[in-house]
Amino acid sequence: MRTGTAFLTLLLIISCARNGSVMTKNTIVADIEKAIPLSLDVDDGLRLSDVQLGMIDDAWVKDTLLMLFGNNALHAFSTQTGKLSMTFSRQGRGPLEYIRIWDYGADDDGIYIYDIDGKQMLFFLWDGSFKKMEKLTGRSADNPFQAIIRAPWGKGYVGKRIYGTPEVPELSSYDEHFRYVSPIGAYTLRSGLKLWRQLYLGSDGDVLYNRYFSNEVLSLTSDSLAVKYIVHFPHRNVPEMDDEYDALELLGKKNTPYAVIMSQIKETDKYFGFQFAAESNRYYAVYDKLSGNCKVYLPIVAKQEVQTVFLNDNILFTIASDESGSYVYQVKLVT
């Protein structure tokens, strides 16, 4: 798989639908020319202490815990002090350890970690203690997944499949023990790229999914797959391409003008939000479902690199770093 070099190139350059039925007419206009700059002062940030984080791939908040994934480790920090609260397991080949975290998620009880090389799912309670383990076969005949999320219906999961032979279904359902059940929809995998998170829980008892370099956000339910939102970046939409490697190459060119949805999808009854990248900046867009208006925010920290931006309970979180370490900034948005 051509993942490593291409992914690093994409992050450096941008700092960083077909086969479905249309379920809604929600078109979101995210205009970076109207972005609201948020100038953040390093003195207002919380330094994340006790561990060297390096590049941060993903972040989210659970109550007063800031969950961060990076460098093959999943940590929890206090949102009030910035101090490390716990680390979920560790890299290794011993009992309850993992070789490589390929995906992760949360349910009411705690955290689950997908160890793709160890062929296992590890479950931990929110206090960091071990709960259980599920062994996986990983055989191609068993239709393995590369990303997984617990379905809000029944006891099973929704997964994105692993690239292999041509015409591999992109999405499939799995039972509570991660055994393959059936494909979902008619989309097929277009590459072996593994870049950022794509599966999120929606506010309508559904699962949201955004294909790489697509402006469509799909909604999955127990019996349907449809387009829920279409994002329009004025003068910056990526041309539609069947080959994700071609799209990645296009985005890797110097001075590319395009904007790309880059995970951190959040939906509530009132709003729909997502992170996107353009011109080496990370933005966050918040679409008001009632008014139909979309506000775009651009967090800026002098002499720091913004690594990820996400929304939780009307607070915009920004994770940024410099040579001294990583910092978290919190800004309450006015609605």
Side-chain angles (χ1 to χ4, degrees), residues 121-163:
M121 299 289 299
L122 300 174
F123 290 78
F124 300 87
L125 300 177
W126 282 111
D127 63 4
S129 59
F130 175 73
K131 181 182 178 182
K132 66 176 182 178
M133 174 185 65
E134 290 269 2
K135 295 298 293 184
L136 308 173
T137 68
R139 298 183 306 173
S140 60
D142 293 330
N143 302 314
F145 50 84
Q146 63 169 290
I148 198 85
I149 189 171
R150 186 183 292 276
W153 58 87
K155 297 181 179 180
Y157 294 81
V158 171
K160 179 182 179 180
R161 297 274 292 277
I162 290 177
Y163 191 69

Side-chain angles (χ1 to χ4, degrees), residues 117-282:
D117 289 346
K119 305 291 190 297
Q120 61 183 347
M121 299 289 299
L122 300 174
F123 290 78
F124 300 87
L125 300 177
W126 282 111
D127 63 4
S129 59
F130 175 73
K131 181 182 178 182
K132 66 176 182 178
M133 174 185 65
E134 290 269 2
K135 295 298 293 184
L136 308 173
T137 68
R139 298 183 306 173
S140 60
D142 293 330
N143 302 314
F145 50 84
Q146 63 169 290
I148 198 85
I149 189 171
R150 186 183 292 276
W153 58 87
K155 297 181 179 180
Y157 294 81
V158 171
K160 179 182 179 180
R161 297 274 292 277
I162 290 177
Y163 191 69
T165 57
E167 301 301 315
V168 173
E170 189 158 345
L171 301 168
S172 293
S173 60
Y174 297 82
D175 69 13
E176 60 186 307
H177 299 293
F178 305 98
R179 294 174 298 208
Y180 171 78
V181 176
S182 62
I184 300 174
Y187 291 99
T188 57
L189 287 172
R190 298 175 294 169
S191 77
L193 290 172
K194 178 70 164 64
L195 302 178
W196 49 74
R197 294 179 67 79
Q198 298 173 277
L199 292 164
Y200 293 85
L201 292 179
S203 64
D204 298 310
D206 55 347
V207 169
L208 303 180
Y209 180 72
N210 171 238
R211 307 182 82 199
Y212 290 141
F213 318 123
S214 170
N215 287 20
E216 294 181 342
V217 177
L218 306 175
S219 171
L220 294 77
T221 68
S222 60
D223 58 4
S224 69
L225 170 64
V227 177
K228 192 169 190 178
Y229 299 101
I230 299 175
V231 178
H232 173 59
F233 300 108
H235 312 295
R236 297 176 183 275
N237 290 326
V238 176
E240 188 172 295
M241 297 182 177
D242 291 327
D243 192 320
E244 290 180 345
Y245 295 115
D246 289 342
L248 192 62
E249 182 178 358
L250 175 66
L251 291 165
K253 292 181 178 179
K254 187 176 181 180
N255 299 323
T256 178
Y258 302 111
V260 179
I261 298 174
M262 284 186 66
S263 72
Q264 299 298 6
I265 291 173
K266 179 75 173 184
E267 186 184 38
T268 70
D269 293 337
K270 297 180 179 180
Y271 66 81
F272 172 76
F274 56 94
Q275 177 184 227
F276 70 93
E279 297 182 340
S280 301
N281 291 313
R282 298 292 181 103

Side-chain angles (χ1 to χ4, degrees), residues 9-21:
T9 300
L10 176 62
L11 288 177
L12 289 172
I13 298 299
I14 65 173
S15 184
C16 312
R18 295 184 295 266
N19 300 324
S21 60

Side-chain angles (χ1 to χ4, degrees), residues 75-88:
H75 304 291
F77 294 85
S78 168
T79 57
Q80 299 169 334
T81 66
K83 293 186 177 296
L84 181 68
S85 297
M86 69 195 73
T87 297
F88 292 89

Side-chain angles (χ1 to χ4, degrees), residues 260-313:
V260 179
I261 298 174
M262 284 186 66
S263 72
Q264 299 298 6
I265 291 173
K266 179 75 173 184
E267 186 184 38
T268 70
D269 293 337
K270 297 180 179 180
Y271 66 81
F272 172 76
F274 56 94
Q275 177 184 227
F276 70 93
E279 297 182 340
S280 301
N281 291 313
R282 298 292 181 103
Y283 297 82
Y284 200 87
V286 182
Y287 171 74
D288 187 308
K289 291 184 176 181
L290 183 61
S291 69
N293 294 326
C294 178
K295 292 183 178 179
V296 175
Y297 298 92
L298 173 60
I300 303 170
V301 190
K303 298 181 180 180
Q304 287 191 352
E305 177 187 358
V306 174
Q307 296 204 34
T308 191
V309 187
F310 66 96
L311 190 61
N312 184 75
D313 290 340

